[in-house]
Amino acid sequence: MQSISDVDLGTPKRSSVETVSLTVDGIPVTVAAGSSVMHAAMTSGISVPKLCATDSLEAFGSCRLCVVEIDGRRGYPASCTTPAESGMMVRTQTAKLRDLRRNVMELYISDHPLDCLTCSANGNCELQEQAGAVGLREVRYGFDGANHLDLVKDESNPYFTFEPSKCISCSRCIRACDEVQGTLALTMEGRGFASKVSPGMMEPFMQSECVSCGACVQACPTATLTESSVIVLGQPKRSVITTCAYCGVGCSFKAELNGDQVVRLVPNKDGHANHGHSCVKGRFAFGYATHPDRITKPMIRKKHTDAWREVSWDDAIGYAASEFRRIQAEHGRGSVGAISSSRCTNEEVFVVQKLVRTAFGNNNIDTCARVCHSPTGFGLKTTLGESAGTQSFDSVMKSDVIFVIGANPTDGHPVFASQMKRRLRQGAKLIVADPRAIDLVRTPHIAAQHHLKLRPGTNVALLDGIAHVIVTEGLTNDAFARARCEPGAYDEWKAFVAQPKYMPEAVEAITGVPAQSIREAARLYATGGNGAIYYGLGVTEHSQGSTAVMAIANLAMATGNFGREGVGVNPLRGQNNVQGSCDMGSFPHELSGYRHVSDAGVRALFKDAWGVEIDSEPGLRIPNMFEAAIDGSFKGLYVQGEDIAQSDPNTQHVEKALTSMECIVVQDLFLNETAKYAHVFLPGSSFLEKDGTFTNAERRIQRVRKVMAPVPGKEDWQVTLALAEALGYPMKYAHPSEIMDEIARLTPTFRGVSYAKLDELGSIQWPCNDASPEGTPTMHEDTFVRGKGNFVVTEYVATEEKVTQRFPLLLTTGRILSQYNVGAQTRRTANAAWHETDVLEIHPHDAEDRGIKDGDKVEIASRAGTTSLPAKISERIQPGVVYTTFHYPQSGANVVTTDNSDWATNCPEYKVTAVQVSPVLTPSQWQRRFGAFTARQEELLQQAEAVGLQARTPAGAQGD
Amino acid sequence: MRKATKVVQIENLVKMANAIGTFYASFSDREAGIAGVATHISRSWDPRMRRELIAYVENGGSDLLPIVAAATRKLSPSPK
């Protein structure tokens, strides 16, 4: 079912600039050329009855309810499939049309349960609505004929129910799975009376290819496909637009509520990033916000081996502040720092870095981009002048050649992947560079022209090989490169990649990718039209991450693929607000807007605003903080919404760092892995509980709107303000919009941003300033941000992480659709149904060599540590490479990853670890220790909650 | 009484510095490469880490790539 607050215009909006003018029921109306007659009628306020039409899908013309009369045309054409033409005279209500429509409804209702009063769609059902609209009074067929009323309900999916007895075979669900999502999990089995919607091969939804995106549920006009939450809680009454808190696509949603209880999230049709679509996480997996694991009271303890004590906010904040001050007095100003969240709002991360720079007086602030896209920041700043992607998502619809390297969009950015698939199905070509056969390589109606299945750690060699072909075969866009880029650097780069060592044959020896594939892929990218590169952590999380990013920018500059739609360099930022966190200066070396702390002019600006001297020297990055902690010079850490103990590499090293510190303050929703080492726990607030903004991978700033009160009584930004005040640096903001106003005053790329403008425009892509008052969808149109583009020589340097006899395989890592990163949110929702445990994917040859069968428990050992996982035999990876995910802490994936990192930014080399895999019977030593430690920490938490509960409960009365 | 302000083990500093040096060593203009290393380190390393590296070179440490040793000699010790 659609959102309660949407108007369905019947068929998709057309974007043609040409218009047509016609008359509907005597009312003149003008619409874009290509629009349907139905659309024309609906936009002028005339409601044409319809059942199989909905504006997210192309017209189908099956229900015959929307029939109209058109002067000069015979018969009764369906208005959904009839294009509007200039001069048409249309009538939507005549006696004959009324008869026809009643007859159609009669047929539908003759085979439909008559339980409207107890049906979950009561009050919000298009069948009900249309029966009323056409004036149905009787069903002359009676109800004793053959029917589908005893078809069995399918409740296999935890989030929605499929009741085939209520299905009217309009095919909207099938078309949604095809046109919107691109998975094609649904089809119509049988014909005529035998027609039945079939997930997979007439299987329950959970066993089919369904990815639970909910597009079919949204499209269904009846109760046939309904959210389980609506069945239980009833129809929602009010609707608030907000933004998803999962990935960097930044889907816009309507949170639909009864009172302050969220009934469901429906994608916003007008969402600028998602256009009315979503994935299983954003749409359905919001239950973590009300999960019992949520910690709602502040807690403190002296040592991490002590029991927690629930205390008041004032006491917890006061204790944290006094500890930070004590530590600074004993160990120096630089002995404390903070890590800000890439999941909190822009306003919230801004005040954390402000706290560090004012109250702590240092630059020890870093964010999770350190471990994911910091090479993007460095690489694109160096080549183009700005630390961000260059296009909107919509730009993909004008691409002719799409080159995906080190990214898995159908899992990591599903809604954008659906859009990319729509373009691919229109005929755009696809090149995929990935050690694994990701789903995108071959998926319904799509096959990559080239899958460059390279060995982990060889990205730069491959990119230089592609560049070699483009340069030596004369496929460069010299006009563009000479006009728009530094000429000296361009010539040097051309000479560099033209060297024999980057010939495809030589590169084949390094990467394992056949020379001919390298040649063909290079030629395709350079000459196939608009070429767009999309990349992710498979590029950045390497010892040459920054180098690879620059190599990508070099390719795009050399082929003129900048400055318009359909092209560009597109980093797929992972978290909902990692772009924002970076934009806000959550870096030890940069203030907001990526301005270096050594710039006296920039520091003066902040000093004026904040009344404090800003430290001019770079502070500690997260890996430096760990080393300094072990060394004894870093003792206090304020961690907002980040779980370094699970997500950072070399877990045992992180654990050692955490146990070396004296005061760890964790602000989060749950007792995460880092909190098990903490001394102060400040309960956080979810995205449903605060106002603010997130910035997605398109630099698009969107509103997050509060729909319920913060469960712990404070929103995250208020917690940071309280801490700053207790540290002696009060910050006065009455509302997050005031924080954004300050950001705008201090940050040139945000100059024009305000909540008022966000409400007016819906979203704003920075830079938003006097030059671009409504924001900037496509960057570098006339010039690059740094003026001329900068070609950078990108020599391939093999990673130090080499396979040895002891560790003969390479482990690489990634994500899946249903779980999100460390799983803190998704593990606490029904998404666990799709992925109950992380597994190790291993190629059949490697498995056979080791006597491993599918499902066997195996040990994965590296020089950093050992863990164990169930094995899954898979031909998606190549021999010599194994793969896993990191969604469950007990998987210990990061026990195995090492300290190797990108040379420029220290982004960890998660994607290349030399390992050995062998069958094993018991969990690893780390896992056993982890299990015991976790159990103990949970006991310590329960003790606090029990004591707190007792303190709050009057003697003799019942508990909470 | 302040404790020692060492932050990162010298072996790791040398490793990180050499990784930076390997990148800038590919510049055809050697002076630009040395300047690149120096700028990169001074813009991204905490001053205590830089001081450690300077001290390492001054005390005769020899595991640094030549380009890195040259760049380190250009680093000015931080006022802190």
Side-chain angles (χ1 to χ4, degrees):
Chain A
M1 207 64 62
Q2 284 191 98
S3 164
I4 51 174
S5 63
D6 276 340
V7 174
D8 188 344
L9 297 174
T11 52
K13 209 162 150 194
R14 296 302 180 213
S15 52
S16 169
V17 288
E18 280 173 48
T19 56
V20 296
S21 296
L22 58 157
T23 310
V24 181
D25 292 348
I27 299 175
V29 56
T30 301
V31 285
S35 304
S36 68
V37 169
M38 176 187 281
H39 186 95
M42 300 292 230
T43 48
S44 64
I46 296 166
S47 206
V48 178
K50 64 174 184 60
L51 275 176
C52 74
T54 184
D55 62 15
S56 58
L57 304 172
E58 293 299 328
F60 197 55
S62 81
C63 73
R64 314 316 290 180
L65 213 54
C66 70
V67 286
V68 292
E69 290 180 15
I70 301 177
D71 280 3
R73 297 203 187 183
R74 280 197 316 235
Y76 306 96
S79 55
C80 63
T81 48
T82 306
E85 283 169 36
S86 270
M88 256 183 178
M89 305 283 286
V90 180
R91 275 183 305 285
T92 71
Q93 295 290 344
T94 66
K96 182 67 184 173
L97 291 175
R98 281 194 285 275
D99 267 348
L100 288 171
R101 290 179 188 143
R102 270 201 297 269
N103 294 348
V104 168
M105 285 308 300
E106 236 179 344
L107 285 164
Y108 275 124
I109 302 300
S110 72
D111 185 7
H112 195 85
L114 294 175
D115 61 350
C116 284
L117 292 181
T118 50
C119 177
S120 60
N122 192 10
N124 186 12
C125 169
E126 290 185 49
L127 191 68
Q128 209 177 40
E129 200 187 306
Q130 298 306 330
V134 309
L136 187 70
R137 295 291 170 263
E138 54 176 346
V139 176
R140 290 166 293 174
Y141 303 100
F143 298 100
D144 298 330
N147 58 47
H148 296 88
L149 300 184
D150 52 13
L151 287 179
V152 173
K153 242 195 298 197
D154 173 356
E155 292 174 300
S156 60
N157 186 299
Y159 294 122
F160 61 87
T161 301
F162 173 44
E163 274 195 78
S165 61
K166 298 186 174 169
C167 178
I168 60 170
S169 300
C170 67
S171 298
R172 283 205 212 171
C173 54
I174 296 164
R175 290 144 59 204
C177 196
D178 176 342
E179 293 173 36
V180 176
Q181 168 57 25
T183 295
L184 292 114
L186 302 176
T187 188
M188 191 66 83
E189 177 76 22
R191 294 288 177 269
F193 187 76
S195 299
K196 283 210 200 71
V197 170
S198 161
M201 309 276 278
M202 289 300 277
E203 299 159 278
F205 262 92
M206 276 304 267
Q207 281 165 31
S208 70
E209 300 90 338
C210 167
V211 295
S212 196
C213 69
C216 58
V217 178
Q218 190 173 333
C220 181
T222 66
T224 305
L225 284 163
T226 307
E227 294 93 339
S228 306
S229 56
V230 168
I231 294 174
V232 169
L233 300 172
Q235 291 287 341
K237 304 285 182 307
R238 70 183 177 108
S239 175
V240 176
I241 295 178
T242 188
T243 305
C244 185
Y246 277 114
C247 87
V249 172
C251 292
S252 178
F253 277 97
K254 294 194 171 180
E256 304 206 322
L257 308 107
N258 271 333
D260 69 351
Q261 177 170 53
V262 176
V263 174
R264 62 177 186 175
L265 293 181
V266 181
N268 180 2
K269 266 200 305 197
D270 297 323
H272 296 156
N274 62 323
H275 306 298
H277 192 39
S278 74
C279 80
V280 59
K281 301 184 294 291
R283 188 194 291 263
F284 293 124
F286 55 88
Y288 66 87
T290 46
H291 193 275
D293 277 0
R294 235 357 248 266
I295 311 257
T296 59
K297 307 259 178 297
M299 305 187 295
I300 61 176
R301 57 184 177 182
K302 193 95 186 62
K303 300 204 297 283
H304 81 277
T305 44
D306 292 344
W308 285 105
R309 262 192 312 124
E310 284 183 3
V311 296
S312 69
W313 275 108
D314 285 344
D315 284 348
I317 299 273
Y319 180 67
S322 68
E323 279 291 271
F324 283 132
R325 284 294 178 236
R326 174 188 69 74
I327 290 168
Q328 283 189 305
E330 280 175 33
H331 300 280
R333 198 151 49 102
S335 60
V336 300
I339 297 173
S340 70
S341 177
S342 56
R343 321 187 56 62
C344 286
T345 63
N346 286 321
E347 295 76 4
E348 288 170 339
V349 298
F350 186 77
V351 295
V352 170
Q353 60 85 35
K354 185 174 176 181
L355 180 155
V356 169
R357 291 179 158 125
T358 55
F360 284 172
N362 62 43
N363 280 325
N364 293 339
I365 171 71
D366 207 358
T367 187
C368 100
R370 181 65 47 205
V371 301
C372 67
H373 267 283
S374 51
T376 290
F378 177 84
L380 295 186
K381 186 147 194 214
T382 305
T383 48
L384 312 177
E386 191 58 270
S387 301
T390 66
Q391 319 287 125
S392 298
F393 288 141
D394 283 350
S395 154
V396 76
M397 300 313 283
K398 303 219 166 88
S399 297
D400 301 306
V401 180
I402 295 171
F403 181 9
V404 175
I405 172 167
N408 183 10
T410 49
D411 280 279
H413 295 82
V415 171
F416 174 63
S418 291
Q419 186 173 31
M420 184 192 278
K421 288 198 286 188
R422 278 198 285 282
R423 179 61 190 147
L424 290 169
R425 288 167 68 181
Q426 286 175 357
K429 304 277 189 287
L430 177 63
I431 303 167
V432 174
D434 198 297
R436 293 169 77 219
I438 56 171
D439 284 348
L440 194 62
V441 168
R442 199 173 170 81
T443 193
H445 295 285
I446 289 165
Q449 262 62 38
H450 301 287
H451 175 202
L452 309 175
K453 207 166 180 179
L454 73 173
R455 265 179 85 66
T458 60
N459 291 335
V460 173
L462 178 68
L463 291 164
D464 285 341
I466 290 172
H468 178 99
V469 174
I470 292 175
V471 165
T472 55
E473 294 189 9
L475 304 176
T476 50
N477 185 336
D478 273 348
F480 178 90
R482 295 212 176 283
R484 296 277 309 259
C485 307
E486 312 266 6
Y490 179 48
D491 289 325
E492 181 171 347
W493 175 79
K494 279 175 92 168
F496 159 72
V497 292
Q499 295 174 85
K501 63 174 161 177
Y502 292 119
M503 279 177 65
E505 285 71 19
V507 168
E508 175 175 350
I510 298 169
T511 61
V513 178
Q516 193 52 24
S517 299
I518 298 174
R519 290 211 159 78
E520 288 174 13
R523 291 167 188 157
L524 179 59
Y525 174 71
T527 64
N530 283 344
I533 302 178
Y534 292 88
Y535 74 91
L537 307 188
V539 160
T540 57
E541 288 177 348
H542 285 271
S543 57
Q544 281 207 295
S546 293
T547 311
V549 172
M550 294 192 282
I552 287 172
N554 289 338
L555 281 179
M557 286 190 285
T559 52
N561 278 312
F562 276 115
R564 59 188 190 281
E565 289 194 285
V567 299
V569 171
N570 301 271
L572 292 171
R573 307 301 298 246
Q575 309 256 26
N576 57 307
N577 202 31
V578 64
Q579 180 70 54
S581 188
C582 298
D583 300 341
M584 295 296 108
S586 303
F587 283 132
H589 67 307
E590 282 173 346
L591 291 154
S592 65
Y594 304 99
R595 293 168 292 173
H596 201 271
V597 293
S598 64
D599 185 331
V602 173
R603 282 202 319 277
L605 194 68
F606 282 87
K607 180 180 172 177
D608 253 348
W610 294 353
V612 159
E613 284 286 352
I614 308 294
D615 188 342
S616 62
E617 294 284 358
L620 297 171
R621 296 167 169 170
I622 295 174
N624 307 145
M625 290 180 189
F626 295 155
E627 287 228 37
I630 292 172
D631 188 70
S633 54
F634 188 80
K635 295 284 195 188
L637 183 63
Y638 170 34
V639 184
Q640 177 207 40
E642 176 76 7
D643 196 1
I644 45 192
Q646 188 176 347
S647 61
D648 281 46
N650 197 345
T651 307
Q652 296 180 108
H653 179 74
V654 177
E655 289 169 345
K656 191 160 170 216
L658 292 172
T659 49
S660 308
M661 290 193 232
E662 290 177 8
C663 180
I664 299 172
V665 177
V666 167
Q667 183 172 337
D668 211 298
L669 302 179
F670 307 107
L671 193 80
N672 61 19
E673 305 318 304
T674 307
K676 293 171 185 169
Y677 295 90
H679 309 88
V680 179
F681 189 94
L682 302 174
S685 48
S686 77
F687 77 113
L688 297 168
E689 299 157 47
K690 52 193 154 179
D691 284 307
T693 55
F694 291 150
T695 306
N696 77 353
E698 305 170 283
R699 295 168 277 108
R700 188 184 298 281
I701 306 160
Q702 298 183 105
R703 278 300 314 278
V704 176
R705 291 191 174 87
K706 186 166 160 176
V707 304
M708 58 199 213
V711 169
K714 276 196 202 296
E715 296 168 37
D716 280 313
W717 59 280
Q718 292 171 321
V719 175
T720 305
L721 260 51
L723 183 59
E725 176 145 8
L727 285 164
Y729 186 83
M731 302 189 216
K732 299 291 182 212
Y733 305 101
H735 187 270
S737 60
E738 292 176 16
I739 304 174
M740 180 51 81
D741 290 339
E742 180 172 314
I743 293 166
R745 281 195 299 276
L746 293 171
T747 318
T749 42
F750 279 68
R751 179 72 26 118
V753 179
S754 69
Y755 278 35
K757 195 184 261 193
L758 282 167
D759 284 346
E760 184 200 321
L761 298 175
S763 74
I764 299 170
Q765 286 170 278
W766 65 259
C768 172
N769 45 30
D770 294 333
S772 314
E774 301 208 335
T776 314
T778 305
M779 292 195 68
H780 316 295
E781 279 184 319
D782 300 313
T783 60
F784 288 102
V785 167
R786 71 184 297 284
K788 299 272 188 198
N790 183 20
F791 280 88
V792 177
V793 160
T794 52
E795 197 78 70
Y796 168 64
V797 177
T799 169
E800 281 184 13
E801 190 67 16
K802 309 236 187 289
V803 295
T804 59
Q805 232 181 0
R806 196 163 158 225
F807 302 117
L809 302 171
L810 284 179
L811 169 72
T812 191
T813 59
R815 290 156 171 75
I816 57 164
L817 170 68
S818 57
Q819 291 287 353
Y820 189 71
N821 280 5
V822 296
Q825 296 154 289
T826 47
R827 277 183 282 118
R828 293 174 172 103
T829 67
N831 278 23
W834 280 276
H835 183 84
E836 279 172 359
T837 171
D838 296 319
V839 297
L840 185 81
E841 286 188 24
I842 179 167
H843 190 273
H845 297 167
D846 294 326
E848 195 175 316
D849 279 348
R850 291 161 174 78
I852 294 170
K853 298 184 309 299
D854 195 65
D856 279 353
K857 193 193 227 6
V858 295
E859 177 183 271
I860 305 110
S862 77
R863 57 186 171 82
T866 305
T867 191
S868 69
L869 286 170
K872 179 168 166 200
I873 313 289
S874 168
E875 290 196 62
R876 296 214 299 181
I877 36 162
Q878 46 184 291
V881 177
V882 292
Y883 171 89
T884 191
T885 51
F886 61 112
H887 304 301
Y888 285 85
Q890 60 268 30
S891 306
N894 279 320
V895 172
V896 169
T897 53
T898 69
D899 284 342
N900 284 346
S901 67
D902 172 55
W903 66 268
T905 61
N906 286 151
C907 180
E909 190 168 49
Y910 289 110
K911 301 309 189 191
V912 190
T913 309
V915 297
Q916 176 59 292
V917 175
S918 35
V920 80
L921 293 171
T922 57
S924 77
Q925 208 181 41
W926 178 85
Q927 284 173 308
R928 288 197 296 274
R929 259 200 335 263
F930 173 82
F933 178 69
T934 295
R936 178 77 191 123
Q937 287 293 326
E938 279 166 11
E939 263 172 34
L940 296 174
L941 177 66
Q942 278 158 26
Q943 285 174 25
E945 289 173 341
V947 167
L949 184 62
Q950 221 175 26
R952 287 192 297 280
T953 309
Q958 288 298 320
D960 268 0
Chain B
M1 159 76 177
R2 295 249 173 108
K3 288 202 174 167
T5 53
K6 186 152 64 77
V7 163
V8 175
Q9 297 295 323
I10 190 63
E11 299 82 28
N12 287 336
L13 290 177
V14 167
K15 182 177 165 182
M16 281 163 45
N18 280 341
I20 294 168
T22 303
F23 175 78
Y24 286 99
S26 60
F27 279 27
S28 55
D29 177 347
R30 189 182 145 76
E31 284 306 311
I34 294 172
V37 177
T39 306
H40 194 99
I41 290 178
S42 59
R43 283 168 75 88
S44 56
W45 283 25
D46 180 285
R48 292 169 289 179
M49 292 159 63
R50 300 194 315 251
R51 276 206 297 279
E52 277 290 308
L53 193 69
I54 293 170
Y56 174 81
V57 168
E58 281 172 0
N59 293 337
S62 57
D63 287 334
L64 291 175
L65 295 174
I67 190 174
V68 181
T72 308
R73 280 188 277 275
K74 285 182 182 289
L75 289 178
S76 54
S78 149
K80 273 208 313 252

